[in-house]
Amino acid sequence: MKSEGGRYWNRRVRDLKPYIPGEQPRGERLIKLNTNENPYPPSPEVSRAVEALLHTQEAGAALRLYPDPACTELREAIAARYGVKPEEVFCGNGSDEVLAFGFAAFFESNEASPLLFPDITYSFYPVYADLWNIQYKTIPLNENFEIHTEDYLIPSGGVIFPNPNAPTGIAVPRAEILCLAEYLKERNRVLIVDEAYTAFGRASGTEDGAESLTPYIADRPNLLTVHTLSKSASLAGLRLGFAIGNGELVEALCRIRDSFNSYTVDRLAQAAGKAAVADASYYEELNRRLVRTRGAVSVSLKSLGFQTLPSSANFIFARHPRFTGEDIFRRLREKGILVRHWDRDRIRDFLRISIGTDDEMDVFISACREIVLD
Ligand SMILES: *Cc1c(COP(=O)(O)O)cnc(C)c1O
């Protein structure tokens, strides 16, 4: 049906297989557990900062002028929070943009040394690879759905994975990632660790939670950690992400950005992000609460016969031996509850359930009980 404008598509557009984001329903009153948004509001400092920006003496000036392309104050706030230098921080329009720039900056089109990532992982990675024409090879998770880092000690063009992995929620031990970083460093390759969910691992207080690799960038110039304010900082609507790594890795990302769009982070996002990053204690409390809910939901699901993978994230990946994933997905949808399901090998029978408020999760568990006892 490409009868009119479609005939003008170039080859690149014709070949694209874009990422499909989780549904954002409009109007319908659904319990939304499908895109890992935080159910709690952002820090009150965030709205204070936005209001201060909009109601300064020169009202309107804030939005009349271009933002600081270098995000200087925001990077200083992030650097202070993570104990790094501002030159080691790069900010972008959501971590998706930071990741897209990372693919463009560090990975090549080379069949002999393809980029490596897990077979089951964030489904944006193959999309970026195809967009930039980067050859890649997927490495299967082991039978427990874990990333086995030794499988990545082979010739490659670099490695990327989330820690904890998505959509499994399973964390990779820090010592293993450091070994992999060392191996890649000797071979002049970059390791990107996507830390979208790391804050939920740490908050659990358990031994097996994911730990940030950020403190280790100092003597690993090939290690880049990527962070987002969308999940742990309740700011998915703001679109703010950042990377932390060696100053020259950051410079590479700046070179890509400035060959594309110098102003990817607007003034509202810079002000709000700075306030959020500075209010660590608010978010620690919030995410502790979320991790408690996660524990309770996991116990309830197991009591209903679900198998759950051990999650260090703000979601649970679960399946029920008597139902297909599709079936439970559909029945939950009929009851007004939205979760995420992928029609893909190995994970077809799983559902990814984002952790909502305690009240939302009570409704969810009741719905699951009705479904499995039906
Ligand atoms: C949600 C998510 C992102 C994207 O976050 P944004 O900052 O909202 O673009 C990146 N990586 C993983 C693994 C995610 O789940």
Side-chain angles (χ1 to χ4, degrees):
M1 284 276 293
K2 295 289 176 304
S3 57
E4 292 293 331
R7 79 179 69 187
Y8 306 108
W9 288 14
N10 68 12
R11 172 84 185 277
R12 177 181 295 124
V13 173
R14 280 201 301 269
D15 290 349
L16 288 179
K17 280 190 238 44
Y19 174 75
I20 304 165
E23 183 183 347
Q24 294 292 349
R26 300 219 277 152
E28 269 177 294
R29 280 181 55 86
L30 292 172
I31 293 185
K32 193 171 176 306
L33 308 176
N34 70 329
T35 48
N36 298 342
E37 288 135 331
N38 203 307
Y40 299 112
S43 157
E45 297 300 325
V46 168
S47 39
R48 256 180 239 133
V50 170
E51 272 161 35
L53 179 80
L54 293 176
H55 303 293
T56 47
Q57 276 196 320
E58 339 151 54
L63 296 184
R64 186 174 62 79
L65 301 172
Y66 279 111
D68 170 13
C71 305
T72 310
E73 289 184 19
L74 173 58
R75 281 171 45 234
E76 283 165 2
I78 294 168
R81 162 91 178 270
Y82 288 85
V84 297
K85 302 188 201 98
E87 310 86 84
E88 294 168 328
V89 179
F90 176 85
C91 297
N93 190 273
S95 63
D96 284 339
E97 182 181 78
V98 177
L99 290 165
F101 289 178
F103 274 66
F106 306 119
F107 305 137
E108 313 250 11
S109 171
N110 183 341
E111 246 167 277
S113 37
L115 170 68
L116 306 180
F117 51 81
D119 62 339
I120 295 163
T121 193
Y122 189 35
S123 40
F124 230 134
Y125 300 156
V127 177
Y128 296 134
D130 288 338
L131 174 65
W132 304 122
N133 195 21
I134 293 159
Q135 315 284 330
Y136 63 90
K137 181 172 155 104
T138 57
I139 306 286
L141 299 183
N142 70 15
E143 66 285 2
N144 298 323
F145 293 93
E146 295 159 339
I147 292 175
H148 187 231
T149 53
E150 280 181 21
D151 298 343
Y152 293 77
L153 305 179
I154 55 174
S156 79
V159 176
I160 181 167
F161 56 78
N163 184 38
N165 193 17
T168 62
I170 300 177
V172 187
R174 185 164 65 188
E176 283 187 27
I177 304 180
L178 290 173
C179 280
L180 176 60
E182 207 54 41
Y183 174 91
L184 292 165
K185 179 179 159 188
E186 284 160 17
R187 288 156 183 84
N188 295 323
R189 301 295 188 217
V190 168
L191 171 62
I192 300 183
V193 182
D194 182 346
E195 299 197 342
Y197 300 105
T198 309
F200 304 105
R202 208 177 327 124
S204 72
T206 61
E207 298 260 320
D208 58 353
E211 293 170 286
S212 178
L213 272 291
T214 301
Y216 299 89
I217 60 149
D219 41 3
R220 288 174 185 78
N222 64 327
L223 174 63
L224 190 77
T225 61
V226 175
H227 309 251
T228 175
L229 275 74
S230 297
K231 280 83 180 225
S232 60
S234 308
L235 288 169
L238 190 72
R239 308 307 304 134
L240 190 58
F242 56 94
I244 300 182
N246 178 275
E248 285 171 34
L249 295 186
V250 167
E251 192 187 325
L253 295 170
C254 293
R255 289 174 68 108
I256 298 285
R257 178 197 59 206
D258 294 334
S259 307
F260 177 77
N261 171 10
S262 297
Y263 304 106
T264 61
V265 184
D266 64 63
R267 280 178 179 259
L268 294 170
Q270 292 191 30
K274 193 176 130 196
V277 166
D279 199 358
S281 61
Y282 172 86
Y283 286 111
E284 273 161 24
E285 169 53 30
L286 195 105
N287 291 326
R288 253 198 301 277
R289 199 186 322 165
L290 212 136
V291 166
R292 272 200 301 275
T293 308
R294 179 182 76 198
V297 171
S298 157
V299 168
S300 303
L301 283 173
K302 282 182 196 146
S303 76
L304 295 174
F306 282 87
Q307 298 163 341
T308 62
L309 300 187
S311 172
S312 295
N314 67 338
F315 55 80
I316 294 177
F317 209 44
R319 68 179 158 195
H320 197 286
R322 289 195 291 109
F323 296 85
T324 65
E326 171 77 49
D327 194 14
I328 305 183
F329 174 85
R330 198 174 33 76
R331 293 188 199 208
L332 285 170
R333 188 80 171 70
E334 284 163 8
K335 294 173 185 289
I337 300 169
L338 200 50
V339 297
R340 193 94 198 257
H341 172 252
W342 287 270
D343 189 17
R344 280 192 51 193
D345 283 354
R346 291 192 82 186
I347 59 169
R348 194 160 277 128
D349 282 333
F350 280 90
L351 298 171
R352 191 195 65 190
I353 303 136
S354 307
I355 302 300
T357 62
D358 289 322
D359 288 348
E360 287 173 325
M361 299 322 282
D362 286 346
V363 175
F364 165 76
I365 290 295
S366 305
C368 289
R369 188 172 295 119
E370 285 170 24
I371 293 167
V372 303
L373 301 181
D374 197 359

